Amino acid sequence: MPGPPLPGLPSSPPSGALPVVPPGPSAGLPSGLASGVPPGLADGLPAGWGDGGLSGLPPGRPLHVAGPDGPWEQVHDQLAGQGHALVHTTWGQWLTAALLDPGLRSALGRDWPRYRQTAAPAGRLRFAVSRMVLKHTAAAALQVPADALDLAYRPGGRPHLRGLAEAEVSLAHTDELIVVGISRSGPIGVDAEPVARRPSFELLHPYVCTPEEAAQLAALGEDERALRLLHLWTLKEAYTKALGHGMRRRFSAVGFCRDEQGRTVLAGEPDDAARWILATHLVHGRYLVSSARRPPREIESASRPAPHPLEETGLPPAATLGWQLPGSSGAQPT
């Protein structure tokens, strides 16, 4: 029997809604995932599997905010204390607030036309909720009114808060999950995927993995390989979102490795550079949430060349792969 939806998700979502993946072992997760950490992967995901981790500086755990009323104190405190904050929720938990908000048009601002033009009711609601969550998160973190924030988009779809250059934001959503990252200490990117998603290593590794990463994954068992590939995908999408490139950059041109402390780091980073801070968390026991951010002294400007040349992603059509590509629900523009 299917398990219950996450808190706040309607028992009968509107037509066109993404399917709900029931929690717990019955969700078809690989063996061992019911406890949150697959066998043998605790050492293989030092960037923070499940309980959070570190790469350079300790990242804060994603904070669950069940609606517009908060609690928001922890969001502000995490931003003040660590320079960034991660928030997660479900669109169902915010659905009533979005539907009943008389100021929804004002809250969406320049996103109102896109909201009105989204044909599928469920897609329209998720779009509205994701923008509400982002604005409320930024408002709580920065201690300003949510309706005073103007959300806009840079070329490529990266969201930003007009007039607040010191604050960077990122947004991801998959199934019913919504994740927002905000940083006052440099660029930030977030990505999320259902842990039960089973990407095909054979079809995807030329587009996702460096040769070194592909060789390491090829030596693993099927379940562990698929999960690590999904983990790599979320890290790479979070990283390229932080750069403002999204899926315009070929993921196989970006590599990750482990340093002498066992932390996940960007391959090829100079020793004297401000290291990218990478983390992956297990949320609700069924979603991978990865974040990537960089300390302020290495903030990339429009006049500074990217560390790797931009390339077309080159991913084959999803229909060819026979499954929904990771990141298709959270890739920029969102």
Side-chain angles (χ1 to χ4, degrees), residues 75-298:
V75 178
H76 175 262
D77 291 347
Q78 191 176 101
L79 184 75
Q82 302 190 32
H84 80 292
L86 298 177
V87 165
H88 69 91
T89 189
T90 66
W91 68 269
Q93 290 179 303
W94 288 64
L95 182 59
T96 300
L99 290 174
L100 299 181
D101 186 356
L104 181 61
R105 180 168 186 167
S106 175
L108 290 179
R110 66 185 67 240
D111 278 325
W112 178 255
R114 183 173 169 186
Y115 165 75
R116 294 288 294 171
Q117 292 164 11
T118 302
R124 188 162 59 247
L125 293 172
R126 282 194 298 272
F127 178 84
V129 167
S130 66
R131 270 60 186 176
M132 287 184 66
V133 175
L134 193 156
K135 280 197 171 184
H136 277 77
T137 298
L142 303 174
Q143 293 192 320
V144 298
D147 57 9
L149 296 174
D150 184 10
L151 182 64
Y153 302 89
R154 295 190 174 98
R158 181 182 180 186
H160 72 103
L161 302 170
R162 287 172 59 91
L164 292 172
E166 74 278 9
E168 300 275 358
V169 293
S170 185
L171 172 67
H173 49 84
T174 184
D175 289 355
E176 68 269 35
L177 187 73
I178 296 171
V179 180
V180 171
I182 181 168
S183 172
R184 298 190 76 166
S185 58
I188 188 169
V190 296
D191 187 51
E193 291 295 340
V195 75
R197 186 161 284 168
R198 312 302 288 159
S200 169
F201 173 75
E202 289 73 18
L203 292 173
L204 280 183
H205 77 81
Y207 309 98
V208 178
C209 302
T210 64
E212 294 78 10
E213 291 168 341
Q216 291 173 2
L217 294 182
L220 302 176
E222 182 178 354
D223 284 347
E224 186 176 352
R225 181 169 57 240
L227 198 53
R228 287 192 188 226
L229 179 60
L230 194 65
H231 175 238
L232 270 179
W233 181 286
T234 61
L235 278 176
K236 292 189 178 190
E237 187 157 347
Y239 169 70
T240 54
K241 278 186 175 184
L243 291 177
H245 301 156
M247 292 180 67
R248 292 177 296 150
R249 169 170 294 188
R250 184 183 289 271
F251 284 3
S252 61
V254 177
F256 294 105
C257 61
R258 297 174 64 175
D259 66 8
E260 58 276 7
Q261 282 80 42
R263 301 172 299 189
T264 299
V265 296
L266 182 66
E269 275 189 305
D271 292 337
D272 59 347
R275 292 292 183 93
W276 279 86
I277 302 165
L278 310 168
T280 300
H281 304 267
L282 192 64
V283 171
H284 289 301
R286 52 199 269 212
Y287 293 105
L288 290 186
V289 173
S290 288
S291 64
R293 65 187 184 93
R294 186 166 59 182
R297 72 182 179 92
E298 286 292 321

